[in-house]
Amino acid sequence: MGDYPSRSVNSTAGHLGVTPRHAQGAGSGVSPSAYEEPPIGGGGALPKKSRFSLETGFRGLSTAAGAMVLVIIVAIAVFLISKAIPAIQADSENFLTYNRWSPNEATPAFGIAVLALGTVLTSLIALVVAVPIALGIALFLTHYAPRRLATPLGFVIDLLAAVPSVVFGLWGRDLFQQPVRDFSVWLNHYFGWLPIFGGEGPFGQSLMLGGLVLAIMVLPIVTSLSREVFQQTPGMNEEAALALGATKWEMIRTAVLPYGKPGVIAAVMLGLGRALGETIALALTLGITWEISFNLIQTGGNSIAANIANSFNEANDTGRGALIASGLVLFAITLIVNMTARAIIYRRREFRDSAA
Amino acid sequence: MAKRIEASNVSSYYGSFKAIDNVSMTVEPKTITALIGPSGCGKSTFLRSINRMHEVLPNARIEGRLTIDDQNIYDPDVDITAVRRMIGMVFQRPNPFPTMSIYENAVAGLKLNGVKKKSLLDDAAEKSLRSANLWDEVKDRLDRPGAGLSGGQQQRLCIARTIAVEPQVVLMDEPCSALDPISTLAIEDLMFKLKDRFTIIIVTHNMQQAARVSDKTGFFSIDKTGEPGRLIEYADTQKIFSNPSQKKTEDYITGRFG
């Protein structure tokens, strides 16, 4: 009942909504039809094409939006490079290999090696742990779970993505550290002969802890993107596999995983992007040392982003430049990773294109 | 290499919805049987019940008895994947695996069943592609994507994929409805050839096709939407199309179906 007023408003709007172009098209209003207004199809002469319209306006807007991406990325690159170069020039040690960070001294000496290594190692741990679990969850949600369960579970996983990273960091430092320490001791006891699990301790605030916290943060991204991808597998291909006598897992291996592979790689890359750039969670969980070490379980480790967060406050001009230079390295790492992923995706593009 | 399919009093359900009611028919080895009827009459459901593909949908089940050479297809102890290997299926729309090459598509079923030896796979690929009348067209580009072929070629690739695992029975669910007349003819020629080795059951909307290719024809119909489909008449194709015993069949094949 309450609809009536709004309906009449709408009908008025519709009446007035006949665009000037159509009105123009009716010529002098001589219409062959019985309508008072000319029909939408036009009654009189062909109307002129309007020079400016919503159409051109929208095209301009979307072109501008597209161009903005390029502008932003170039602006960032220019900013990073222009700030980084003077600092690197002032560096008294090799920027790539030196393993200390003292850019604020009279003779600045700093190197990216420890930071880059820590960034890469924590991200690798995160991916190695998170990707199999994420794919398992995604497959469970799309192909095994009953719909009643899949929808809320998917929602919970998306919720995980909404938890701020500082919360993960605090949780990792205060609660998760103890189980990881116990696990590290166990690893050290049985696998101590492997250099990555060796050492005398102390264990705890290690690359392992940082990497595992990152894994939890990466999990929801990889899961929800993979789920989307797996859902898009054509049903007829799944049926084809089943009709050949495939079990469910064989069907997934034959039809779902190959079809979803490029999408899964893209999902992993987005996850890796998050892991590489993660700042505060690592600043809270890593032990912050300056040794170049592949040991995953001893207290220590550092990362580019965490170091920026930790050192920015007390940095002088050269110090800031040095930090920005480290940011540039992070930028480069991300770029390389992304381009590699693109290359993998495009290699078999022919197969995907013909599939459409 | 070909087995008899026997359905007695088969009713198929999706949950509480009864899709077909009380269908009984016997399909002899090395024959082509066509199932015709209006849309929604349950002929596809019946076809998919034969290799248990209708169970892809949740809560699908049947009542009655379906046997292949006297073995109960729905025996609780029977492995469903074995049923589907024995009773292959070709679908309405060509569905080669988009990520696989022509060769990989042809041997996909063998690989699923654990065949790994390259020479065996090569032989099977050539044999099945030859059987599907596709070999000469694709032998120089076996590593190209299967989905890059034309629609008719794709469908023959799917037939090659199906027969590569040497099933006993081949089910075809409107295999030509997405194809042009020339490709359709190619598939029909192929069916004649495959008849020597397989029992073939085909669902088709095209009555000329049923008349051309099949030995026996089953006519399905429904009284109205929501009612289960029934097998109205099942007889030699020639009899169905020249002298059907049921009024409904006659109305349908003469186009007076209401």
Side-chain angles (χ1 to χ4, degrees):
Chain A
M1 295 300 160
D3 291 348
Y4 275 111
S6 74
R7 227 177 250 167
S8 68
V9 167
N10 277 344
S11 72
T12 319
H15 180 71
L16 295 174
V18 176
T19 63
R21 277 205 284 159
H22 293 295
Q24 206 179 31
S28 51
V30 182
S31 167
S33 72
Y35 298 106
E36 279 180 34
E37 285 294 319
I40 296 293
L46 285 172
K48 276 217 170 57
K49 183 169 85 176
S50 60
R51 190 176 287 262
F52 297 105
S53 64
L54 273 179
E55 204 57 39
T56 43
F58 187 74
R59 192 216 307 238
L61 271 179
S62 61
T63 311
M68 191 133 69
V69 177
L70 287 177
V71 171
I72 290 174
I73 205 131
V74 168
I76 290 176
V78 166
F79 164 78
L80 289 178
I81 292 170
S82 67
K83 294 279 182 180
I85 285 175
I88 293 177
Q89 277 167 345
D91 194 355
S92 62
E93 297 282 345
N94 187 325
F95 175 67
L96 291 179
T97 55
Y98 188 59
N99 65 343
R100 287 283 181 278
W101 194 265
S102 318
N104 302 321
E105 313 294 322
T107 49
F110 53 92
I112 197 73
V114 175
L115 300 177
L117 184 70
T119 299
V120 171
L121 284 181
T122 46
S123 300
L124 272 183
I125 295 173
L127 287 191
V128 166
V129 174
V131 169
I133 297 175
L135 294 186
I137 297 174
L139 284 176
F140 175 72
L141 291 179
T142 52
H143 286 87
Y144 287 96
R147 188 164 294 272
R148 276 201 319 278
L149 185 63
T151 315
L153 203 58
F155 182 69
V156 169
I157 287 165
D158 288 340
L159 212 61
L160 205 58
V163 178
S165 56
V166 65
V167 174
F168 278 113
L170 287 172
W171 172 80
R173 195 188 61 176
D174 292 344
L175 278 173
F176 198 41
Q177 192 181 340
Q178 188 56 46
V180 170
R181 182 180 294 137
D182 297 342
F183 179 57
S184 299
V185 169
W186 181 85
L187 276 175
N188 184 253
H189 188 258
Y190 290 99
F191 299 98
W193 45 273
L194 277 171
I196 53 171
F197 298 135
E200 305 294 318
F203 307 117
Q205 290 201 302
S206 56
L207 289 172
M208 180 74 90
L209 177 63
L212 290 178
V213 170
L214 274 190
I216 297 168
M217 299 174 66
V218 163
L219 194 69
I221 301 178
V222 183
T223 304
S224 33
L225 288 172
S226 307
R227 187 185 54 179
E228 295 290 321
V229 172
F230 292 152
Q231 253 161 4
Q232 283 166 14
T233 314
M236 59 182 195
N237 286 324
E238 299 184 4
E239 289 203 333
L242 291 174
L244 287 170
T247 60
K248 192 147 197 170
W249 165 237
E250 287 168 338
M251 181 274 281
I252 288 172
R253 234 178 38 201
T254 314
V256 179
L257 291 181
Y259 185 86
K261 192 170 133 199
V264 169
I265 292 175
V268 171
M269 286 309 132
L270 276 177
L272 183 57
R274 174 156 198 199
L276 287 171
E278 179 47 44
T279 308
I280 201 69
L282 286 182
L284 288 168
T285 51
L286 291 182
I288 312 297
T289 56
W290 289 96
E291 300 303 320
I292 293 182
S293 160
F294 284 89
N295 191 305
L296 302 185
I297 56 174
Q298 288 218 83
T299 294
N302 210 332
S303 89
I304 295 177
N307 181 53
I308 294 177
N310 284 332
S311 329
F312 207 82
N313 272 340
E314 59 257 35
N316 60 18
D317 263 3
T318 318
R320 288 186 189 189
L323 291 174
I324 286 170
S326 71
L328 190 64
V329 172
L330 183 58
F331 190 64
I333 294 176
T334 318
L335 213 62
I336 292 169
V337 163
N338 265 307
M339 283 163 75
T340 317
R342 292 280 150 209
I344 296 171
I345 293 170
Y346 278 102
R347 211 176 28 160
R348 274 170 77 88
R349 188 166 61 145
E350 175 192 21
F351 276 70
R352 294 199 40 94
D353 283 356
S354 56
Chain B
M1 271 291 292
K3 289 191 174 178
R4 172 188 292 106
I5 294 281
E6 201 165 348
S8 29
N9 307 105
V10 170
S11 302
S12 281
Y13 295 83
Y14 295 114
S16 58
F17 174 70
K18 194 179 198 178
I20 52 171
D21 182 39
N22 209 18
V23 171
S24 299
M25 65 162 64
T26 303
V27 178
E28 294 299 331
K30 299 186 181 182
T31 60
I32 300 180
T33 301
L35 306 179
I36 60 171
S39 296
C41 67
K43 54 195 190 305
S44 283
T45 297
F46 178 67
L47 192 79
R48 290 167 72 93
S49 300
I50 296 175
N51 71 343
R52 299 181 65 169
M53 274 304 286
H54 77 306
E55 289 179 19
V56 168
L57 294 174
N59 301 321
R61 63 194 168 85
I62 74 156
E63 284 170 5
R65 194 176 153 81
L66 258 169
T67 59
I68 177 165
D69 271 10
D70 298 327
Q71 300 172 75
N72 186 355
I73 292 169
Y74 282 84
D75 191 314
D77 292 335
V78 157
D79 178 3
I80 189 167
T81 63
V83 170
R84 291 174 184 164
R85 277 198 296 273
M86 199 179 278
I87 309 175
M89 188 161 206
V90 176
F91 294 84
Q92 183 172 0
R93 285 179 58 197
N95 56 359
F97 296 116
T99 53
M100 294 186 192
S101 67
I102 294 170
Y103 175 91
E104 288 168 326
N105 263 291
V107 298
L110 292 170
K111 279 194 174 163
L112 276 174
N113 290 304
V115 181
K116 289 201 179 73
K117 215 170 147 200
K118 182 88 169 64
S119 59
L120 283 179
L121 292 175
D122 287 350
D123 291 347
E126 177 169 351
K127 187 180 170 204
S128 60
L129 286 169
R130 276 191 196 283
S131 304
N133 291 345
L134 191 61
W135 177 253
D136 291 332
E137 291 159 63
V138 302
K139 63 183 175 201
D140 300 324
R141 45 174 175 151
L142 290 173
D143 58 341
R144 309 291 296 162
L149 298 171
S150 76
Q153 288 172 326
Q154 285 188 32
Q155 194 63 300
R156 276 179 282 150
L157 178 58
C158 293
I159 293 174
R161 181 177 66 188
T162 303
I163 62 180
V165 294
E166 310 254 322
Q168 306 292 324
V169 180
V170 176
L171 309 175
M172 298 187 172
D173 190 357
E174 300 183 39
C176 302
S177 66
L179 305 182
D180 65 88
I182 298 194
S183 307
T184 300
L185 209 60
I187 304 268
E188 287 181 11
D189 287 345
L190 177 55
M191 282 193 249
F192 278 119
K193 189 171 135 188
L194 295 177
K195 197 171 106 168
D196 294 340
R197 289 164 59 200
F198 307 103
T199 308
I200 298 176
I201 307 177
I202 171 177
V203 163
T204 178
H205 269 128
N206 180 335
M207 279 182 279
Q208 288 82 1
Q209 182 171 59
R212 277 195 301 266
V213 300
S214 67
D215 302 297
K216 293 190 102 177
T217 297
F219 171 63
F220 282 74
S221 190
I222 43 171
D223 293 335
K224 59 174 194 282
T225 315
E227 299 275 305
R230 288 193 175 78
L231 179 63
I232 305 295
E233 187 169 357
Y234 177 56
D236 286 345
T237 297
Q238 206 181 349
K239 180 168 185 313
I240 291 268
F241 283 96
S242 58
N243 182 25
S245 55
Q246 297 287 324
K247 176 86 170 57
K248 275 186 181 171
T249 315
E250 191 181 339
D251 285 352
Y252 184 74
I253 61 165
T254 54
R256 265 181 293 151
F257 182 80

XYZ file of all heavy atoms in Angstrom, chain B residues 91-92 155 173-180 183-185 187-188 191 202-203 209:
156
model
N 28.079 -36.833 -24.312
C 27.105 -35.856 -23.853
C 26.571 -34.977 -24.987
O 27.069 -34.998 -26.109
C 27.723 -34.977 -22.768
C 28.050 -35.746 -21.526
C 29.242 -36.454 -21.424
C 27.159 -35.795 -20.473
C 29.541 -37.178 -20.291
C 27.451 -36.521 -19.335
C 28.644 -37.214 -19.240
N 25.583 -34.194 -24.623
C 24.914 -33.338 -25.610
C 25.872 -32.334 -26.219
O 25.979 -32.230 -27.430
C 23.758 -32.623 -24.917
C 22.943 -31.757 -25.842
C 21.705 -31.246 -25.151
O 21.460 -31.531 -23.980
N 20.898 -30.492 -25.870
N 33.155 -33.472 -30.830
C 32.245 -34.534 -30.416
C 32.831 -35.907 -30.772
O 32.718 -36.855 -30.004
C 30.863 -34.330 -31.063
C 29.749 -35.173 -30.467
C 29.471 -34.871 -28.998
O 30.348 -35.021 -28.149
N 28.269 -34.445 -28.693
N 23.787 -38.951 -25.279
C 22.681 -38.080 -24.881
C 22.585 -36.924 -25.878
O 23.286 -35.927 -25.738
C 22.930 -37.576 -23.458
C 21.717 -36.878 -22.891
O 20.720 -36.745 -23.623
O 21.769 -36.467 -21.719
N 21.727 -37.056 -26.862
C 21.580 -36.046 -27.922
C 22.939 -35.618 -28.468
O 23.273 -34.426 -28.457
C 20.832 -34.820 -27.396
C 19.434 -35.148 -26.902
C 18.699 -33.906 -26.449
O 18.840 -32.866 -27.110
O 18.006 -33.970 -25.423
N 23.712 -36.544 -28.980
C 25.108 -36.216 -29.340
C 25.214 -35.256 -30.519
O 26.278 -34.682 -30.734
C 25.691 -37.580 -29.709
C 24.531 -38.379 -30.157
C 23.379 -37.932 -29.312
N 24.148 -35.072 -31.274
C 24.252 -34.235 -32.483
C 23.480 -32.938 -32.360
O 23.460 -32.152 -33.302
C 23.754 -35.006 -33.699
S 24.649 -36.529 -33.957
N 22.850 -32.699 -31.211
C 21.938 -31.554 -31.176
C 22.681 -30.232 -31.223
O 22.096 -29.206 -31.523
C 21.046 -31.630 -29.941
O 21.822 -31.482 -28.793
N 23.993 -30.230 -30.935
C 24.735 -28.969 -31.012
C 25.572 -28.901 -32.289
O 26.449 -28.054 -32.398
C 25.639 -28.823 -29.786
N 25.309 -29.807 -33.242
C 26.176 -29.903 -34.415
C 25.430 -29.555 -35.703
O 24.208 -29.664 -35.782
C 26.744 -31.324 -34.534
C 27.476 -31.855 -33.317
C 28.010 -33.239 -33.600
C 28.605 -30.921 -32.918
N 26.197 -29.177 -36.714
C 25.605 -28.879 -38.011
C 25.306 -30.188 -38.740
O 25.760 -31.254 -38.342
C 26.569 -28.010 -38.820
C 27.828 -28.759 -39.143
O 27.871 -29.449 -40.173
O 28.788 -28.683 -38.340
N 28.349 -32.503 -39.731
C 28.951 -33.169 -38.574
C 28.016 -34.241 -38.048
O 28.452 -35.298 -37.593
C 29.239 -32.160 -37.475
O 29.982 -31.089 -37.970
N 26.719 -33.948 -38.090
C 25.735 -34.928 -37.636
C 25.845 -36.206 -38.449
O 25.854 -37.317 -37.911
C 24.319 -34.351 -37.767
O 24.236 -33.180 -36.963
C 23.277 -35.356 -37.318
N 25.957 -36.025 -39.758
C 26.082 -37.187 -40.643
C 27.340 -37.982 -40.292
O 27.320 -39.215 -40.264
C 26.160 -36.704 -42.088
C 25.629 -37.673 -43.137
C 24.165 -37.972 -42.887
C 25.825 -37.098 -44.531
N 28.764 -38.231 -37.434
C 28.538 -38.982 -36.191
C 27.644 -40.191 -36.463
O 27.858 -41.287 -35.929
C 27.891 -38.070 -35.125
C 28.742 -36.834 -34.880
C 27.615 -38.849 -33.849
C 29.736 -36.922 -33.794
N 26.648 -40.006 -37.315
C 25.745 -41.129 -37.609
C 26.505 -42.252 -38.307
O 26.311 -43.441 -37.992
C 24.567 -40.650 -38.459
C 23.580 -39.815 -37.651
C 22.401 -39.349 -38.479
O 22.238 -39.835 -39.619
O 21.646 -38.491 -37.986
N 28.328 -44.087 -35.776
C 27.506 -44.987 -34.957
C 27.332 -46.339 -35.642
O 27.417 -47.388 -34.991
C 26.143 -44.341 -34.706
C 26.180 -43.272 -33.636
S 24.523 -42.826 -33.142
C 24.404 -41.200 -33.781
N 20.956 -44.207 -27.773
C 21.060 -42.795 -28.094
C 19.737 -42.099 -27.810
O 18.668 -42.608 -28.159
C 21.485 -42.594 -29.579
C 21.386 -41.133 -29.984
C 20.678 -43.468 -30.517
C 21.838 -40.857 -31.386
N 19.830 -40.966 -27.124
C 18.661 -40.106 -26.947
C 18.704 -39.070 -28.052
O 19.760 -38.486 -28.318
C 18.692 -39.418 -25.569
C 17.751 -38.233 -25.532
C 18.348 -40.402 -24.476
N 16.711 -38.809 -37.423
C 17.938 -39.467 -36.983
C 17.622 -40.832 -36.356
O 18.269 -41.824 -36.673
C 18.663 -38.585 -35.961
C 19.961 -39.178 -35.489
C 20.746 -38.189 -34.649
O 20.258 -37.729 -33.626
N 21.927 -37.854 -35.103
